[in-house]
Amino acid sequence: MSRTDADDDGYAISYKVLERGTPVVDCDGGEVGAVREVLENQAEHIFDGLVLDTPAGQRFVDAPEVARIAER
């Protein structure tokens, strides 16, 4: 399946610059919410996961479940 410009999420970025409010999509491309908070294991300087604002409330997504972090 080829991606169209409308589906382009931009360049891959570090979790450290991921902005609050960035849309989050599932593996099928459906929007599931927006970034509320980026979690980091500060002692080891590694990405730990995301807290999302969704229509059903706040949800946690563990780092291994995040396939890609992009600017959009």
Side-chain angles (χ1 to χ4, degrees):
M1 173 192 277
S2 90
R3 297 179 64 165
T4 65
D5 290 339
D7 293 332
D8 184 16
D9 58 6
Y11 292 104
I13 60 171
S14 167
Y15 70 90
K16 292 184 180 237
V17 296
L18 182 60
E19 294 184 10
R20 182 179 184 152
T22 301
V24 177
V25 297
D26 63 16
C27 61
D28 295 324
E31 190 168 329
V32 296
V35 174
R36 177 179 187 84
E37 184 178 357
V38 179
L39 304 176
E40 174 184 29
N41 177 328
Q42 292 182 341
E44 298 180 25
H45 303 287
I46 59 173
F47 175 59
D48 195 37
L50 298 171
V51 177
L52 307 181
D53 284 324
T54 75
Q58 291 182 10
R59 298 292 185 258
F60 171 72
V61 180
D62 201 13
E65 302 300 317
V66 177
R68 176 173 156 82
I69 298 176
E71 58 189 351
R72 294 186 289 276

